[in-house]
Structure formats: C-alpha cells, structure tokens
Amino acid sequence: MDPAVAAELEKFSDNDTVPFRTASNHTQSTWARTFHSHPELYIQPQSLPEIEKAINLARRCRRRITTVGCGHSPSSITTTSSWLMNLDNYDKIIDVNKETGAVRMQSGIRLYALSDELDKIGLAMPNLGSINEQSIAGAISTGTHGSTLRHGTLSSSISSLKITLANGKTESCSREENVDLFRAALLSLGALGVVTEVTFHAVPAFTLAWKQVIDRDHSLFESWDKELWKQSEFVRVWWYPYTRRGVVWSAEKTEEPQRDPKRSFVKKFYEKWLAYQVYHNLLGASQYLPRILPWIEWFVFGMQFRFTNGLVSSAVQPSGKALLMDCMYSQFVNEWAIPLDKGPEALRRLSSWLNHLSPSDPDYLPHGIPFSADGLYVHAPVEVRVTDTSTLKDPRPFLDQTESRGPTLYLNATLYRPYNSDPPCRHRYYQGFEYLMKELGGRPHWAKNFETLGHEIEEMYGDDLVNWREIRDNLDPEGMFVGDWHRRTVMGDGPRLPLEEVEIMREDAKGGGVVVRGVVGKGHGTLSTKSSEESFDELRASEITVRGD
C-alpha cells in the first residue's frame, strides 16, 4: 500500500471495528480475457460501513473507485489502475417476505446464489438472461434481460435500491421516493456510486417445459408477426447465417415431472467432446484460413442438430436451469436493441450482405451496408431475443435501451476468440453490423463490445441522457466513479473531472487480450488538503432528501 494512503488510513478512528480489506498485486481480467488491468488496490468489503469507509478514504487520497462483480462483460467498462472494489463477500440475503415475494439483499450476491437461496423457500426469479454468474448489482446496472414478451429487463423486478455516493453516505431510492435517483441508479453503468442494497420481487418457484425446433430461416420470417414470439412465455432463437436456418427454443410453465432432454449417442459424443475440443480447434484453424468458416459452421450445426430440418428436442426442468446456456469460449459480443418488427429486415439484410445473395433469392433484400463483405467470414450464430417494457409501470431507467412504445428485439453478433485470440473478421463485421443496427433505430447493449460512441449515443437518448448526466454530476462532481469508457460513451465533451481516470496506454497481453493502463486526473498521487467535513461541504449538491436506514 502507498505509504501516503496508509498514513491517511491511520487517521480513521474506527480502524479497530471497521476493517479496510484490501490487497495489492491483483490482476483483473474479464471472463472472456478481452481486457486486463492492474488496480493499485483490490478491495473486498464485507459490510456497508466498510464500503463507506473505502469511499471516504478514496476521496481523501484522490483515487477513483471502480466496482466489479464476475467480470462477464467483455468490454473495458471495469478496467482501472486505481482502486477496484469487488462485492463478492457482500452477498447476503437480508430478509424475505414470502407473501409479497419481496427479497432484500446485499448487492454483491451472484444470481446463481440468489436462485439457490430462493429455491430453498419455494421462490424464483421471474426471468433470467443466458447466464447467472453476474452479481445482482452488475446485472441491473448494465440492462441485463432475458427473452420473453411477458417480462421486462431484470430491472423491472426491482422496487428499491440503496447506493453509497462519493461523499461516503448511503442513500435510499425507490419507485415512490427519490424517483430521479432511482431512474439513474437502476442503470448506472457504475458511474453514480456503489449500489449496496437491492429489493427484488421474486415469484413462486416454477418448472418449464421447453422444446427446441430446427427449421429454415425463411419459416422464421414468415411466422415472425404471427405465432413465433407469442407461442410461449419464454422464446429465443439462434440464427445461423451460413446454413440459413434457425433454432427456436420455447418454454412454458408446467406441473409435469422433471426430465432431461433425450440425447443420441452422436449428441452425447458432441456435447462431451466435440462441442468444445473439435469446434475450438476448428475455430483456431479458421484464424489462419477464414474461408473455411462456412464449412465449419455447417459441420458443427449438423453434428449438434442433424443436417436436415425438423429436429425437435424437449425437456422439463427448473426455471433456473432451463433458461441458462453455456457460453463455451472466450468471445466478443455485440448486441443491439431494435424494434421487434424490424427483425426480419435486419436478418435478411445481414444475410444478403454476408452470403452475397442475388436478387433472385427469395430472402434477398438490398443490404445497404457501405462496407464490403468480400473475404469476410464470421462465426455463428446470431442470438435473437425479445423483451417488452412498454406495458410496465414507470419509472423507467434513464438509460434503458428498450423500446418504450412496443416490444424490443435484441440481436447479438457473437465472435469467438479461440485460444484467446481475436478473430480477423471482427472490425469489418462489427462495423457493418452496427451500421445496420443504427439504420434500424437500434441502441447498443451497455455491457457489450460496441464501437458507437458519444455523439451518436447522445442522439439515441436525447433528454434522458442529459437528465442522467445532471444527476450523476450532482452526486459525484469530482468523477470518483468515472473512467475512460464512460467518457467515450456517455459523459460527453465536457472537461475532465478531478478524479476521472484517463486511459494512457494499451498493450497486448501475453495470454491474449489487452492490458489497459490509466491515470486518475488532477491530483493523482496526492492527498486532499481538506478535511472530511470540508469535502462533504463541497459535495452538498449531491445531498438528497430521504436518508437510508
């Protein structure tokens, strides 16, 4: 620990009762090993007083604080060379009201642990995304969603929050009180403070009967506005551009006894060995010979789903198992939200571009993408999911990427990183994909690898982004929770803030990915000359009416 920081820590009168649990020499990596950073201190608090103390110390020592959970976002949003706070040890359920389903919890609890604890008392989360590794705070702070028209994002189930601000004080907000703070904190991107407590509404535990059907993508397009998304409570699709087929997964609640899907010998062989090892090595080979990717995708699709249309598989499983999927390898993910009715146009234009379709093809649409697809070979599939927040009671998060006047479609263009190496198609594929998404009125998923930046995002969010910035700036005028990712995406062209972290260097990491190094703005490495009370006075603009308990 920096001697100046240690000296400042000694001035705290509660050191015997409120520890500062920290380590140095920590390397933080995303799950996908796309980005790495070396924080000066790695902090793992176990109580609210410890969180408040760390923030007070950071303000005195002129440091930025970044909060991280499982690091599943493949972006650089949580990279820092300053102080990194991990809440894995701040993960308890505080209380449960079985009658109303209200569950109050510490914000570091992972979704899988929350699901396990809820299951013990006959409750469940009403909706899940494709994974359950995230912390509850991380999931709602980036707009995590599932795939269903009968539910909104995970934030839709949140009734109240507590958040510790840059002045070291913890504030309460909910759908009824401090509503503007609640709207900003529901999707905070980690830039307002540290979310410390969440009240979530669970539902009675349920079992899902699901089925999975393989068919031509043309059939998907024909049923799009009819039964495709309305056939069951949960529906998701994987679209394979080279085979021009789709996998439709649908699930409905049931009282049937549980059963796992039947698997042939080939299927078992695929899942236990081929799915990972052979596919991984084939993807590795495609790094040097990209033109084999269409063949690879055809072969792997056939081994997993057979080579002809019409295969149906089914199972009955608990919701917490049925809704999840295996992400398999390190990957880039570029996901956008567009109006649901734009889906067939989006996929047909993307297919026309990637497959060089001619006007004689029944699914041909002029793609209008001003980038050449010659020599461009990509990975499959594109994940297709839906949500609908338009019918839910306000307030909505300021930075909610979903449609407010109808259902939302999410398109996720995944690119694997075999053996942690970047695919050569990434830049041009994502360049064309993002161009198309913007043409169709899309907004990027905050946790993913999008390249669209500041001014275009301002146009997408308008006054909502202006309001979010105003609240954020009042809560954290010195930028204790702001990093270079925030500046590029949501902070605009204003002056750098005193504690804002600026990226100064990127370098290739030995095991793959990029090491990011940053420096905190004005005053980095020096202590504040003001007392804590004077610092509080400076931050009085961040005071809010209703206090936390």
Side-chain angles (χ1 to χ4, degrees):
M1 184 183 298
D2 185 326
V5 173
E8 193 64 24
L9 178 61
E10 286 298 315
K11 298 178 183 179
F12 282 75
S13 60
D14 60 1
N15 286 333
D16 290 336
T17 57
V18 182
F20 182 57
R21 304 176 199 271
T22 185
S24 55
N25 299 319
H26 176 80
T27 297
Q28 179 64 32
S29 301
T30 61
W31 170 84
R33 302 197 63 79
T34 45
F35 291 95
H36 314 267
S37 60
H38 304 292
E40 176 190 3
L41 291 180
Y42 183 66
I43 307 165
Q44 286 195 298
Q46 297 181 13
S47 67
L48 180 59
E50 291 181 45
I51 294 171
E52 294 174 336
K53 182 175 186 174
I55 291 174
N56 284 327
L57 182 62
R59 186 183 64 254
R60 291 282 297 150
C61 296
R62 318 308 292 156
R63 298 300 200 268
R64 175 200 176 197
I65 284 186
T66 303
T67 310
V68 70
C70 69
H72 210 277
S73 169
S75 78
S76 61
I77 188 171
T78 57
T79 58
T80 183
S81 296
S82 192
W83 291 5
L84 185 67
M85 183 179 290
N86 173 267
L87 300 179
D88 279 353
N89 296 328
Y90 186 68
D91 62 347
K92 304 295 187 294
I93 291 179
I94 300 171
D95 60 58
V96 179
N97 185 326
K98 292 184 180 180
E99 293 183 1
T100 65
V103 184
R104 190 159 61 99
M105 67 201 78
Q106 295 174 335
S107 60
I109 191 169
R110 299 288 188 91
L111 297 186
Y112 65 80
L114 173 59
S115 295
D116 288 346
E117 292 301 312
L118 292 178
D119 187 62
K120 293 175 183 177
I121 53 176
L123 295 176
M125 298 180 68
N127 189 18
L128 278 172
S130 296
I131 62 167
N132 62 357
E133 295 293 325
Q134 313 102 308
S135 67
I136 186 67
I140 64 175
S141 293
T142 53
T144 296
H145 61 94
S147 189
T148 167
L149 291 181
R150 302 185 200 174
H151 303 276
T153 62
L154 264 64
S155 293
S156 303
S157 299
I158 305 300
S159 59
S160 65
L161 297 171
K162 288 186 180 180
I163 182 169
T164 304
L165 306 175
N167 61 10
K169 298 180 179 179
T170 300
E171 310 290 353
S172 296
C173 58
S174 71
R175 297 185 179 277
E176 290 79 31
E177 60 181 11
N178 292 330
V179 176
D180 282 349
L181 174 61
F182 185 69
R183 293 183 67 190
L186 263 184
L187 212 163
S188 69
L189 304 175
L192 273 67
V194 179
V195 174
T196 51
E197 189 177 296
V198 176
T199 300
F200 182 93
H201 278 280
V203 298
F206 59 97
T207 299
L208 289 174
W210 63 258
K211 68 175 181 178
Q212 186 168 274
V213 182
I214 318 301
D215 206 346
R216 300 173 305 141
D217 60 7
H218 187 74
S219 298
L220 299 180
F221 304 150
E222 287 185 330
S223 65
W224 196 276
D225 296 325
K226 300 172 185 176
E227 73 278 4
L228 177 60
W229 300 107
K230 299 175 183 178
Q231 59 184 292
S232 298
E233 181 170 354
F234 300 94
V235 183
R236 60 191 178 202
V237 172
W238 293 274
W239 175 65
Y240 292 76
Y242 291 133
T243 61
R244 298 178 64 181
R245 287 192 283 180
V247 178
V248 180
W249 185 95
S250 59
E252 197 69 72
K253 291 174 182 173
T254 184
E255 299 296 329
E256 295 179 47
Q258 295 180 24
R259 58 177 173 81
D260 288 330
K262 294 180 180 179
R263 290 176 169 85
S264 65
F265 172 79
V266 172
K267 183 77 169 175
K268 292 178 181 178
F269 175 76
Y270 172 84
E271 291 183 345
K272 290 185 176 180
W273 189 70
L274 181 64
Y276 193 91
Q277 299 296 343
V278 173
Y279 191 26
H280 202 185
N281 284 292
L282 289 172
L283 289 171
S286 74
Q287 298 287 82
Y288 304 97
L289 194 62
R291 67 177 59 252
I292 66 174
L293 268 172
W295 176 85
I296 291 172
E297 298 299 344
W298 169 83
F299 172 72
V300 172
F301 184 95
M303 291 299 293
Q304 185 173 10
F305 304 116
R306 299 184 189 172
F307 292 91
T308 57
N309 295 327
L311 175 69
V312 178
S313 57
S314 64
V316 179
Q317 296 175 319
S319 60
K321 182 177 182 180
L323 292 171
L324 303 180
M325 60 172 289
D326 185 358
C327 290
M328 295 179 69
Y329 317 117
S330 169
Q331 56 195 249
F332 290 115
V333 284
N334 196 342
E335 185 173 35
W336 284 63
I338 64 174
L340 178 60
D341 60 6
K342 298 289 188 181
E345 178 185 351
L347 295 178
R348 289 174 65 190
R349 288 174 64 179
L350 195 59
S351 180
S352 294
W353 184 56
L354 292 173
N355 292 316
H356 306 278
L357 298 186
S358 68
S360 62
D361 191 287
D363 285 327
Y364 170 80
L365 272 184
H367 58 74
I369 298 173
F371 309 104
S372 173
D374 291 344
L376 177 65
Y377 301 96
V378 305
H379 302 163
V382 172
E383 187 179 36
V384 187
R385 293 183 288 170
V386 292
T387 192
D388 191 356
T389 61
S390 64
T391 61
L392 300 177
K393 182 181 177 181
D394 285 338
R396 298 170 63 87
F398 284 114
L399 298 185
D400 190 346
Q401 65 266 68
T402 61
E403 295 290 313
S404 62
R405 291 176 291 184
T408 299
L409 179 74
Y410 285 93
L411 293 180
N412 182 358
T414 298
L415 287 176
Y416 294 122
R417 301 179 64 250
Y419 298 101
N420 296 319
S421 61
D422 296 350
C425 61
R426 178 192 173 198
H427 175 70
R428 194 159 25 124
Y429 182 34
Y430 282 174
Q431 191 179 39
F433 179 73
E434 292 195 22
Y435 178 89
L436 177 58
M437 293 299 99
K438 287 182 283 190
E439 279 254 302
L440 298 174
R443 294 176 173 180
H445 190 303
W446 293 112
K448 306 302 173 65
N449 297 106
F450 61 94
E451 300 295 332
T452 297
L453 300 178
H455 292 298
E456 290 182 289
I457 289 177
E458 288 175 348
E459 293 177 4
M460 294 172 187
Y461 285 90
D463 289 343
D464 281 340
L465 179 55
V466 172
N467 292 333
W468 182 87
R469 284 177 182 167
E470 182 178 356
I471 294 167
R472 201 227 68 80
D473 290 345
N474 284 336
L475 299 177
D476 178 26
E478 291 194 297
M480 178 185 288
F481 301 104
V482 176
D484 210 84
W485 184 95
H486 300 103
R487 177 60 62 183
R488 295 194 307 270
T489 55
V490 293
M491 290 297 292
D493 295 330
R496 294 278 185 175
L497 303 174
L499 297 183
E500 178 178 340
E501 187 169 3
V502 179
E503 185 179 311
I504 58 172
M505 185 176 65
R506 288 190 178 196
E507 58 186 4
D508 292 337
K510 290 182 179 179
V514 175
V515 177
V516 178
R517 303 186 190 277
V519 62
V520 171
K522 300 175 183 178
H524 176 72
T526 62
L527 295 175
S528 170
T529 58
K530 298 180 176 63
S531 68
S532 294
E533 288 305 315
E534 288 173 322
S535 296
F536 285 157
D537 289 341
E538 278 190 349
L539 293 171
R540 61 182 177 273
S542 71
E543 302 294 330
I544 326 177
T545 305
V546 180
R547 295 282 169 225
D549 294 336

